[in-house]
Amino acid sequence: SRSAMDHQPKFFENLSGAGKAIAVLTSGGDAQGMNAAVRAVVRMGIYVNAKVYFIYEGYQGVVDGGDNIVEVSWESVSSILQVGGTVIGSARCKSFRTREGRLQAAFNLVQRGITNLCVIGGDGSLTGANLFREEWSGLLEELAQKGKIDAEAVKKYAYLNIVGMVGSIDNDFCGTDMTIGTDSALHRIIEVVDAIMTTAQSHQRTFVLEVMGRHCGYLALVSALACGADWVFIPEYPPEEGWEDTMCVKLSENRARKKRLNIIIVAEGAIDCHNKPITSEKVKDLVVQRLGFDTRVTILGHVQRGGTPSAFDRILASRMGVEAVLALLEATPDTPACVVSLSGNQAVRLPLMECVQMTQEVQKAMDEGRFLEAVRLRGRSFENNLNTYKLLSHKRPDAELPKTNFNVAVLNVGAPAAGMNAAVRAAVRVGITEGHKIFAVIDGFEGFARGKIKEISWGDVGGWTGQGGSILGTKRTLPAKYLEKIAEQMRTNNINALMVIGGFEAYLGLLELSAAREKYDEFCVPMVMVPATVSNNVPGSDFSIGADTALNTITDTCDRIKQSASGTKRRVFIIETMGGYCGYLANMGALAAGADAAYIFEEQFDIRELQANVEHLTEKMKTSIQRGLVLRNENCNENYTTDFIYQLYSEEGKGVFDCRKNVLGHMQQGGAPSPFDRNFGTKISAKAMQWISKKLKETYRKGKVFANTDDSVCLLGMRRRNLVFQPVAELKSETDFVHRIPKEQWWLKLRPLMKILAKYKTSYDVSDSGQLEHVAMLPKEAETGAI
């Protein structure tokens, strides 16, 4: 059916919400990013001419009715994008669990003609919504019998449509890679861990950190991965019998290796294999009694739910909110209630009850001690995280390691990007585990030519995950002019494989090295590239390491600037972002910061467009939102410079608004890596090193490695839902070499979202949406890039 549908693109302009009423409510525990979702639902609803209502205080508000259910306008959701929690409130509601409560709720909705409900909450909230939908026609009939509504209303409002979005910091919902709020909670945890690391190192202390997750170990697991914790306790994967001894041995070995700090992360729901709780206090007492280490417990508690949503959560929630309205417009009495969620970086719709059942299966498996099954049911992303953590945290004794006699060199190429060091750490540790010797090259290809290369050990990369920039040092220099010298270094150090972590230059570098294979046998070895650049402009991958950190820097700065503009009133800011010719940072930054426009190279614009933007802002100044934010990619147009646009806006806006400009510059390349970049860097790099091992085995003949086919020079990238190795030779046709960007970029499809949310008329191709998928069909063997 897909191919038949592909011929007729579906545009959302043809979907109308006229005559429909949509209500949005948040329920269950709050999560950062819920407001971004609420904002997107409200604006998309109004955009398609539907009436939109807030329901305050979750289900309690549906039952209580009255001024808890209010029609809202475009401006009602202004300035909430950057606020954590939920501005419409969330409450635990006993009465909605009773039929009387739901009867009253149905009456309150019918009175206002609301038959479309968008619920943002955890699995409990979504299950409640589904029950409400199933009972709906019965409830209406009962109301008619009691004379509360007339027969006409029963006919007119016969069906209730429900779409859910999962807002939960635990990421405990099956069928969705990331729930709204998870990434922000990880940001809070990582900030704390980074801060604790400095004090722990000063005193040689052991820290036990307790993170949230009563039934799900996602936060604990991913934060352990992201900060290289020594030990982690999660409910899905209890430690084996005798774990107390194993853990203490590991901690004392670390001390003996001069590692100054130990970090142990405990999920609040952690258990042992007999389903008995393992508490942070218990772990602390154990370490103190057995080892006498100075040990402190830090319970993070509600800090994890607080603070501003990360860029990832804002974009996720905005995409989900728009998708939810599309799903409501297309819902029929026969379609099951669905949740909109993310798989890889693709929005999907899944039957709500399938997800809920799967989520309950996990709990059941844990209760019955089927822990391997629980991990599998959590999904491939969870399983990946666990396997990567196990791979990187414990060094096997040298005697147990295989010996391959292969030497692998690792280098950074291009501009610094946060997360490069996490990638180097993962490569080194996986390489050592696989039995290779790993050599670190200092300062890219230039350093390579100068012989700046040395063996690097397991311990050398300890604590690297949280460090920004590039510890090995990185240069933009390409290898072509040093081929002779690099070949000599490869020969001298007997290098059998190359792993290059970097941006567009790394890609060009691999193309040059593979072209040089005819002349130099030394380059006939497996080579792999892991994309790392803030610009996210590498062909063959939807994401590159460092882009998420840069996006968060841009978003944080825009938040501050918006605050300054709100104070002064009638002010428009022009902000210039990095990215070379790639508009990713400008476009996604604009979506995450709630900007009015973003100028990018990929979408040509002329003076008429600039004029239209000025007029749009002039109109906006007449409303209650008297500020504007415009992002401009540094190379979007050689003549319409940031100064030009600033001067144009200043002149045209005279008497209506004044203008300021900001060039963000190199702060976008710095800073501690975000959880996403640490994790993505760690997982993608570990996978790349495993590929190298496989290729080394395949190409080892008669005592030497010889690889000269295209498929032995690959780029590992994330494509939609999978991590894929692609020969760099095949990526040539997908690349615009003049502007150093891929010819096709997935995120351009999200461009209309920003325009819709900023109230511009636009066309939006939604052909990808609307396919209801199924949970059980998730391929087991596929890797996902979700973290």
Side-chain angles (χ1 to χ4, degrees):
S1 73
R2 210 46 230 270
S3 52
M5 290 194 54
D6 281 344
H7 298 311
Q8 290 113 8
K10 182 171 71 174
F11 290 99
F12 96 115
E13 304 86 289
N14 309 333
L15 294 170
S16 167
K20 296 192 173 179
I22 300 173
V24 57
L25 70 97
T26 52
S27 170
D30 68 314
Q32 307 97 320
M34 279 184 165
N35 289 327
V38 168
R39 168 181 180 265
V41 169
V42 168
R43 292 198 166 171
M44 182 69 171
I46 291 172
Y47 198 97
V48 296
N49 294 314
K51 283 184 158 183
V52 186
Y53 292 83
F54 270 172
I55 297 177
Y56 287 100
E57 310 311 329
Y59 286 120
Q60 194 62 54
V62 195
V63 177
D64 294 348
D67 51 12
N68 285 306
I69 306 177
V70 186
E71 192 180 344
V72 286
S73 70
W74 190 271
E75 280 115 66
S76 307
V77 289
S78 160
S79 303
I80 68 171
L81 183 62
Q82 60 270 33
V83 181
T86 161
V87 294
I88 55 178
S90 170
R92 305 254 174 241
C93 175
K94 287 217 173 71
S95 49
F96 191 76
R97 293 186 177 177
T98 65
R99 185 163 167 103
E100 288 68 54
R102 292 192 290 275
L103 193 66
Q104 185 57 44
F107 176 66
N108 292 333
L109 293 183
V110 169
Q111 271 195 311
R112 296 167 177 80
I114 299 171
T115 55
N116 294 283
L117 203 54
C118 178
V119 180
I120 308 166
D123 56 348
S125 318
L126 299 181
T127 314
N130 193 58
L131 176 65
F132 191 36
R133 177 179 192 243
E134 285 171 355
E135 289 183 353
W136 183 258
S137 52
L139 292 170
L140 293 201
E141 276 164 16
E142 191 176 327
L143 287 170
Q145 279 163 9
K146 292 187 171 169
K148 286 197 162 184
I149 58 174
D150 54 27
E152 187 53 37
V154 178
K155 266 222 284 297
K156 191 176 174 190
Y157 304 122
Y159 300 104
L160 175 68
N161 297 317
I162 290 216
V163 172
M165 278 183 268
V166 192
S168 149
I169 65 166
D170 291 344
N171 203 19
D172 55 358
F173 195 77
C174 292
T176 126
D177 279 345
M178 287 295 266
T179 57
I180 296 167
T182 306
D183 188 65
S184 303
L186 287 171
H187 272 261
R188 296 299 94 76
I189 295 171
I190 293 305
E191 284 157 18
V192 171
V193 175
D194 284 355
I196 279 179
M197 282 208 166
T198 53
T199 161
Q201 275 175 326
S202 313
H203 296 281
Q204 289 211 21
R205 281 197 174 128
T206 298
F207 270 86
V208 181
L209 289 181
E210 183 181 305
V211 301
M212 282 184 168
R214 273 198 310 265
H215 306 293
C216 176
Y218 185 89
L219 290 178
L221 178 56
V222 174
S223 46
L225 244 186
C227 67
D230 296 278
W231 202 271
V232 63
F233 293 96
I234 57 173
E236 293 88 344
Y237 186 76
E240 291 163 11
E241 286 277 10
W243 59 270
E244 295 89 345
D245 301 334
T246 327
M247 183 182 78
C248 291
V249 168
K250 165 134 207 267
L251 296 179
S252 49
E253 273 175 9
N254 278 349
R255 280 291 159 93
R257 268 202 236 117
K258 296 281 186 290
K259 186 174 180 229
R260 294 184 64 90
L261 82 159
N262 302 121
I263 287 198
I264 300 167
I265 294 181
V266 185
E268 59 181 335
I271 47 176
D272 64 18
C273 49
H274 306 295
N275 258 328
K276 299 267 181 302
I278 295 178
T279 62
S280 41
E281 279 302 327
K282 180 175 168 180
V283 175
K284 175 198 158 172
D285 294 341
L286 186 75
V287 176
V288 173
Q289 282 158 18
R290 298 255 183 122
L291 302 170
F293 289 175
D294 182 0
T295 308
R296 302 293 154 101
V297 174
T298 299
I299 295 175
L300 291 188
H302 282 73
V303 166
Q304 294 161 89
R305 284 191 191 275
T308 178
S310 64
F312 183 96
D313 273 333
R314 296 182 196 195
I315 292 165
L316 171 68
S318 301
R319 285 176 71 180
M320 299 298 101
V322 167
E323 184 70 25
V325 172
L326 290 174
L328 284 170
L329 293 182
E330 294 183 317
T332 69
D334 307 323
T335 49
C338 73
V339 282
V340 289
S341 90
L342 199 66
S343 176
N345 67 16
Q346 219 185 329
V348 292
R349 297 180 194 169
L350 300 162
L352 187 144
M353 285 321 287
E354 276 184 29
C355 297
V356 169
Q357 275 149 10
M358 183 100 150
T359 305
Q360 288 165 352
E361 282 295 312
V362 181
Q363 192 52 50
K364 214 171 111 190
M366 280 163 27
D367 293 341
E368 293 168 10
R370 292 179 287 127
F371 294 110
L372 283 171
E373 181 70 359
V375 169
R376 206 180 58 81
L377 287 169
R378 275 273 180 244
R380 40 191 194 161
S381 154
F382 190 90
E383 213 168 345
N384 267 347
N385 281 319
L386 187 57
N387 293 336
T388 311
Y389 175 77
K390 289 195 287 200
L391 209 64
L392 298 174
S393 60
H394 304 299
K395 181 180 192 292
R396 310 217 317 253
D398 288 340
E400 284 179 29
L401 290 174
K403 281 278 178 286
T404 61
N405 295 325
F406 290 132
N407 296 343
V408 182
V410 180
L411 66 161
N412 290 164
V413 175
M420 276 183 162
N421 301 321
V424 172
R425 168 183 176 267
V428 169
R429 292 195 168 178
V430 172
I432 290 172
T433 306
E434 306 257 310
H436 315 315
K437 272 190 175 163
I438 309 294
F439 287 79
V441 177
I442 312 297
D443 298 339
F445 288 119
E446 197 176 305
F448 208 164
R450 295 205 184 128
K452 293 180 160 179
I453 176 170
K454 60 174 200 293
E455 194 183 338
I456 185 165
S457 73
W458 181 281
D460 291 340
V461 291
W464 278 30
T465 43
Q467 307 280 332
S470 160
I471 297 173
L472 291 184
T474 180
K475 284 261 190 293
R476 287 176 177 272
T477 325
L478 292 171
K481 55 178 180 181
Y482 296 119
L483 290 173
E484 184 74 47
K485 287 186 164 153
I486 293 175
E488 191 188 323
Q489 287 300 327
M490 303 247 323
R491 202 167 48 247
T492 315
N493 295 288
N494 190 19
I495 300 298
N496 310 111
L498 269 189
M499 175 153 162
V500 185
I501 300 163
F504 203 84
E505 288 86 4
Y507 166 62
L508 294 176
L510 282 193
L511 286 171
E512 290 180 0
L513 290 178
S514 61
R517 278 175 163 182
E518 294 169 27
K519 199 171 165 197
Y520 301 98
D521 271 1
E522 287 83 359
F523 300 139
C524 295
V525 297
M527 304 188 212
V528 67
M529 166 180 171
V530 169
T533 162
V534 297
S535 307
N536 198 22
N537 63 334
V538 178
S541 189
D542 292 355
F543 292 117
S544 60
I545 299 164
D548 183 69
T549 305
L551 207 50
N552 276 296
T553 305
I554 293 168
T555 312
D556 287 348
T557 311
C558 288
D559 285 351
R560 293 181 181 195
I561 286 171
K562 267 168 86 171
Q563 225 168 14
S564 142
S566 302
T568 357
K569 298 277 187 297
R570 294 175 179 259
R571 185 164 278 182
V572 174
F573 276 87
I574 318 281
I575 296 170
E576 180 186 305
T577 68
M578 277 185 166
Y581 283 94
C582 175
Y584 180 81
L585 290 179
N587 188 66
M588 300 308 256
L591 188 56
D596 295 284
Y599 298 117
I600 60 174
F601 168 76
E602 292 88 348
E603 194 173 284
Q604 293 297 303
F605 57 97
D606 55 20
I607 195 74
R608 287 183 293 279
E609 181 125 358
L610 289 168
Q611 177 66 33
N613 290 148
V614 171
E615 285 164 8
H616 187 269
L617 282 165
T618 307
E619 281 307 300
K620 189 176 171 184
M621 295 300 160
K622 294 176 185 165
T623 69
S624 58
I625 319 169
Q626 299 187 347
R627 56 173 159 60
L629 193 61
V630 175
L631 271 65
R632 178 190 173 274
N633 157 273
E634 57 185 352
N635 290 346
C636 64
N637 187 304
E638 60 179 328
N639 294 314
Y640 297 150
T641 60
T642 301
D643 282 332
F644 175 88
I645 293 177
Y646 162 70
Q647 284 162 345
L648 177 89
Y649 272 58
S650 296
E651 180 59 36
E652 295 293 314
K654 264 192 184 148
V656 183
F657 57 81
D658 62 351
C659 233
R660 295 285 183 274
K661 63 172 193 232
N662 240 34
V663 176
L664 298 184
H666 281 72
M667 64 188 277
Q668 293 164 90
Q669 280 181 8
S674 65
F676 183 98
D677 281 332
R678 296 180 189 200
N679 228 322
F680 184 52
T682 299
K683 287 199 325 202
I684 196 169
S685 172
K687 199 173 163 65
M689 186 54 83
Q690 288 166 333
W691 177 88
I692 283 182
S693 296
K694 190 178 107 214
K695 283 290 174 209
L696 282 170
K697 282 196 194 85
E698 286 170 16
T699 57
Y700 184 67
R701 296 277 174 280
K702 300 184 182 147
K704 70 179 280 226
V705 172
F706 187 79
N708 65 348
T709 52
D710 281 351
D711 67 356
S712 62
V713 187
C714 279
L715 179 148
L716 172 55
M718 182 185 154
R719 279 276 170 102
R720 286 183 93 137
R721 306 186 185 186
N722 300 311
L723 289 174
V724 272
F725 288 94
Q726 303 143 100
V728 290
E730 288 173 19
L731 291 172
K732 274 186 179 155
S733 60
E734 297 180 22
T735 311
D736 168 351
F737 285 99
V738 180
H739 299 104
R740 304 159 53 96
I741 52 175
K743 287 179 185 167
E744 290 199 357
Q745 305 187 76
W746 67 274
W747 53 265
L748 283 167
K749 279 204 167 137
L750 299 186
R751 185 123 174 101
L753 281 196
M754 191 206 92
K755 295 183 179 174
I756 290 166
L757 296 173
K759 217 175 189 173
Y760 281 95
K761 281 278 167 271
T762 181
S763 174
Y764 182 26
D765 180 349
V766 291
S767 315
D768 273 358
S769 337
Q771 297 289 317
L772 194 68
E773 302 193 6
H774 292 284
V775 186
M777 286 173 15
L778 287 179
K780 282 289 166 275
E781 63 288 347
E783 287 272 352
T784 175
I787 355 203

